[in-house]
PDB file of all heavy atoms in Angstrom:
ATOM      1  N   TYR A 112       1.956 -19.476  -2.272  1.00 35.00           N
ATOM      2  CA  TYR A 112       2.380 -18.132  -2.732  1.00 35.00           C
ATOM      3  C   TYR A 112       3.761 -17.807  -2.213  1.00 35.00           C
ATOM      4  O   TYR A 112       4.090 -18.134  -1.067  1.00 35.00           O
ATOM      5  CB  TYR A 112       1.379 -17.080  -2.250  1.00 35.00           C
ATOM      6  CG  TYR A 112       0.024 -17.199  -2.877  1.00 35.00           C
ATOM      7  CD1 TYR A 112      -1.114 -17.125  -2.085  1.00 35.00           C
ATOM      8  CD2 TYR A 112      -0.125 -17.396  -4.222  1.00 35.00           C
ATOM      9  CE1 TYR A 112      -2.373 -17.245  -2.661  1.00 35.00           C
ATOM     10  CE2 TYR A 112      -1.365 -17.509  -4.795  1.00 35.00           C
ATOM     11  CZ  TYR A 112      -2.492 -17.425  -4.018  1.00 35.00           C
ATOM     12  OH  TYR A 112      -3.720 -17.531  -4.582  1.00 35.00           O
ATOM     13  N   ALA A 143      -2.731   2.642 -12.464  1.00 98.00           N
ATOM     14  CA  ALA A 143      -3.020   1.419 -11.685  1.00 98.00           C
ATOM     15  C   ALA A 143      -1.785   1.009 -10.865  1.00 98.00           C
ATOM     16  O   ALA A 143      -1.920   0.695  -9.677  1.00 98.00           O
ATOM     17  CB  ALA A 143      -3.442   0.279 -12.624  1.00 98.00           C
ATOM     18  N   ALA A 144      -0.602   1.021 -11.472  1.00 98.00           N
ATOM     19  CA  ALA A 144       0.618   0.668 -10.758  1.00 98.00           C
ATOM     20  C   ALA A 144       0.858   1.623  -9.594  1.00 98.00           C
ATOM     21  O   ALA A 144       1.209   1.180  -8.475  1.00 98.00           O
ATOM     22  CB  ALA A 144       1.809   0.682 -11.697  1.00 98.00           C
ATOM     23  N   LEU A 147      -1.632   0.800  -6.750  1.00 98.00           N
ATOM     24  CA  LEU A 147      -1.299  -0.466  -6.066  1.00 98.00           C
ATOM     25  C   LEU A 147      -0.026  -0.325  -5.240  1.00 98.00           C
ATOM     26  O   LEU A 147       0.056  -0.816  -4.124  1.00 98.00           O
ATOM     27  CB  LEU A 147      -1.167  -1.586  -7.103  1.00 98.00           C
ATOM     28  CG  LEU A 147      -2.472  -1.985  -7.779  1.00 98.00           C
ATOM     29  CD1 LEU A 147      -2.170  -2.882  -8.982  1.00 98.00           C
ATOM     30  CD2 LEU A 147      -3.433  -2.671  -6.822  1.00 98.00           C
ATOM     31  N   GLU A 159       7.778  -1.875 -17.743  1.00 92.00           N
ATOM     32  CA  GLU A 159       8.884  -1.265 -16.994  1.00 92.00           C
ATOM     33  C   GLU A 159      10.159  -2.089 -17.095  1.00 92.00           C
ATOM     34  O   GLU A 159      11.204  -1.682 -16.569  1.00 92.00           O
ATOM     35  CB  GLU A 159       8.490  -1.119 -15.524  1.00 92.00           C
ATOM     36  CG  GLU A 159       7.368  -0.157 -15.278  1.00 92.00           C
ATOM     37  CD  GLU A 159       6.910  -0.079 -13.850  1.00 92.00           C
ATOM     38  OE1 GLU A 159       7.321  -0.928 -13.015  1.00 92.00           O
ATOM     39  OE2 GLU A 159       6.134   0.835 -13.526  1.00 92.00           O
ATOM     40  N   HIS A 160      10.104  -3.235 -17.752  1.00 89.00           N
ATOM     41  CA  HIS A 160      11.270  -4.121 -17.807  1.00 89.00           C
ATOM     42  C   HIS A 160      11.773  -4.234 -19.244  1.00 89.00           C
ATOM     43  O   HIS A 160      10.994  -4.226 -20.178  1.00 89.00           O
ATOM     44  CB  HIS A 160      10.878  -5.509 -17.277  1.00 89.00           C
ATOM     45  CG  HIS A 160      10.452  -5.444 -15.842  1.00 89.00           C
ATOM     46  ND1 HIS A 160      11.350  -5.590 -14.807  1.00 89.00           N
ATOM     47  CD2 HIS A 160       9.268  -5.211 -15.283  1.00 89.00           C
ATOM     48  CE1 HIS A 160      10.701  -5.464 -13.676  1.00 89.00           C
ATOM     49  NE2 HIS A 160       9.425  -5.229 -13.919  1.00 89.00           N
ATOM     50  N   GLY A 165      18.476  -6.488 -25.989  1.00 82.00           N
ATOM     51  CA  GLY A 165      17.310  -6.609 -26.855  1.00 82.00           C
ATOM     52  C   GLY A 165      17.420  -5.853 -28.173  1.00 82.00           C
ATOM     53  O   GLY A 165      16.888  -6.299 -29.185  1.00 82.00           O
ATOM     54  N   VAL A 171      12.083 -11.946 -33.336  1.00 94.00           N
ATOM     55  CA  VAL A 171      11.635 -13.250 -32.842  1.00 94.00           C
ATOM     56  C   VAL A 171      12.342 -13.597 -31.551  1.00 94.00           C
ATOM     57  O   VAL A 171      11.696 -14.021 -30.562  1.00 94.00           O
ATOM     58  CB  VAL A 171      11.900 -14.345 -33.919  1.00 94.00           C
ATOM     59  CG1 VAL A 171      11.694 -15.724 -33.361  1.00 94.00           C
ATOM     60  CG2 VAL A 171      11.007 -14.108 -35.134  1.00 94.00           C
ATOM     61  N   PHE A 178       8.384 -12.919 -23.698  1.00 94.00           N
ATOM     62  CA  PHE A 178       7.393 -13.921 -23.335  1.00 94.00           C
ATOM     63  C   PHE A 178       7.797 -14.660 -22.076  1.00 94.00           C
ATOM     64  O   PHE A 178       7.043 -14.768 -21.110  1.00 94.00           O
ATOM     65  CB  PHE A 178       7.178 -14.863 -24.499  1.00 94.00           C
ATOM     66  CG  PHE A 178       6.273 -16.036 -24.183  1.00 94.00           C
ATOM     67  CD1 PHE A 178       4.906 -15.877 -24.157  1.00 94.00           C
ATOM     68  CD2 PHE A 178       6.813 -17.284 -23.889  1.00 94.00           C
ATOM     69  CE1 PHE A 178       4.069 -16.962 -23.837  1.00 94.00           C
ATOM     70  CE2 PHE A 178       5.995 -18.351 -23.568  1.00 94.00           C
ATOM     71  CZ  PHE A 178       4.605 -18.187 -23.558  1.00 94.00           C
ATOM     72  N   GLU A 183       7.417 -16.034 -16.330  1.00 97.00           N
ATOM     73  CA  GLU A 183       8.057 -16.232 -15.028  1.00 97.00           C
ATOM     74  C   GLU A 183       7.477 -15.265 -13.979  1.00 97.00           C
ATOM     75  O   GLU A 183       7.259 -15.634 -12.838  1.00 97.00           O
ATOM     76  CB  GLU A 183       9.557 -16.072 -15.140  1.00 97.00           C
ATOM     77  CG  GLU A 183      10.289 -16.357 -13.838  1.00 97.00           C
ATOM     78  CD  GLU A 183      10.020 -17.740 -13.257  1.00 97.00           C
ATOM     79  OE1 GLU A 183       9.763 -18.692 -14.013  1.00 97.00           O
ATOM     80  OE2 GLU A 183      10.041 -17.846 -12.002  1.00 97.00           O
ATOM     81  N   CYS A 188       3.942 -14.425  -9.127  1.00 97.00           N
ATOM     82  CA  CYS A 188       3.033 -13.480  -8.494  1.00 97.00           C
ATOM     83  C   CYS A 188       1.999 -14.215  -7.620  1.00 97.00           C
ATOM     84  O   CYS A 188       1.775 -15.412  -7.750  1.00 97.00           O
ATOM     85  CB  CYS A 188       2.343 -12.603  -9.522  1.00 97.00           C
ATOM     86  SG  CYS A 188       1.007 -13.400 -10.420  1.00 97.00           S
ATOM     87  N   ILE A 208      -4.379 -13.347 -18.680  1.00 96.00           N
ATOM     88  CA  ILE A 208      -5.520 -13.682 -17.803  1.00 96.00           C
ATOM     89  C   ILE A 208      -5.752 -15.195 -17.860  1.00 96.00           C
ATOM     90  O   ILE A 208      -5.929 -15.842 -16.807  1.00 96.00           O
ATOM     91  CB  ILE A 208      -6.765 -12.893 -18.220  1.00 96.00           C
ATOM     92  CG1 ILE A 208      -6.607 -11.412 -17.928  1.00 96.00           C
ATOM     93  CG2 ILE A 208      -8.036 -13.441 -17.520  1.00 96.00           C
ATOM     94  CD1 ILE A 208      -7.654 -10.521 -18.589  1.00 96.00           C
ATOM     95  N   ASP A 224     -14.315   0.806 -18.372  1.00 91.00           N
ATOM     96  CA  ASP A 224     -15.679   1.347 -18.367  1.00 91.00           C
ATOM     97  C   ASP A 224     -16.620   0.150 -18.540  1.00 91.00           C
ATOM     98  O   ASP A 224     -16.187  -0.978 -18.511  1.00 91.00           O
ATOM     99  CB  ASP A 224     -15.884   2.419 -19.417  1.00 91.00           C
ATOM    100  CG  ASP A 224     -15.511   1.964 -20.837  1.00 91.00           C
ATOM    101  OD1 ASP A 224     -15.617   0.744 -21.117  1.00 91.00           O
ATOM    102  OD2 ASP A 224     -15.115   2.797 -21.629  1.00 91.00           O
ATOM    103  N   ARG A 247      -8.303   1.638  -5.482  1.00 96.00           N
ATOM    104  CA  ARG A 247      -7.981   2.316  -4.215  1.00 96.00           C
ATOM    105  C   ARG A 247      -8.730   1.678  -3.045  1.00 96.00           C
ATOM    106  O   ARG A 247      -8.216   1.660  -1.915  1.00 96.00           O
ATOM    107  CB  ARG A 247      -8.336   3.795  -4.277  1.00 96.00           C
ATOM    108  CG  ARG A 247      -7.475   4.558  -5.236  1.00 96.00           C
ATOM    109  CD  ARG A 247      -7.724   6.082  -5.115  1.00 96.00           C
ATOM    110  NE  ARG A 247      -7.134   6.794  -6.211  1.00 96.00           N
ATOM    111  CZ  ARG A 247      -5.849   7.076  -6.331  1.00 96.00           C
ATOM    112  NH1 ARG A 247      -5.001   6.714  -5.403  1.00 96.00           N
ATOM    113  NH2 ARG A 247      -5.394   7.756  -7.372  1.00 96.00           N
ATOM    114  N   ASP A 248      -9.915   1.153  -3.296  1.00 95.00           N
ATOM    115  CA  ASP A 248     -10.775   0.691  -2.214  1.00 95.00           C
ATOM    116  C   ASP A 248     -10.997  -0.805  -2.130  1.00 95.00           C
ATOM    117  O   ASP A 248     -11.488  -1.292  -1.095  1.00 95.00           O
ATOM    118  CB  ASP A 248     -12.168   1.378  -2.342  1.00 95.00           C
ATOM    119  CG  ASP A 248     -12.066   2.883  -2.283  1.00 95.00           C
ATOM    120  OD1 ASP A 248     -11.303   3.389  -1.447  1.00 95.00           O
ATOM    121  OD2 ASP A 248     -12.746   3.536  -3.076  1.00 95.00           O
ATOM    122  N   VAL A 263     -21.887  -8.985 -21.329  1.00 94.00           N
ATOM    123  CA  VAL A 263     -20.860  -9.943 -21.688  1.00 94.00           C
ATOM    124  C   VAL A 263     -21.276 -10.664 -22.988  1.00 94.00           C
ATOM    125  O   VAL A 263     -22.442 -10.846 -23.252  1.00 94.00           O
ATOM    126  CB  VAL A 263     -20.598 -10.973 -20.553  1.00 94.00           C
ATOM    127  CG1 VAL A 263     -19.995 -10.313 -19.360  1.00 94.00           C
ATOM    128  CG2 VAL A 263     -21.827 -11.722 -20.200  1.00 94.00           C
TER     129      VAL A 263
END
Side-chain angles (χ1 to χ4, degrees):
Y112 294 133
L147 293 168
E159 294 176 349
H160 299 270
V171 170
F178 173 79
E183 184 56 31
C188 77
I208 292 167
D224 54 29
R247 293 189 193 281
D248 300 318
V263 293

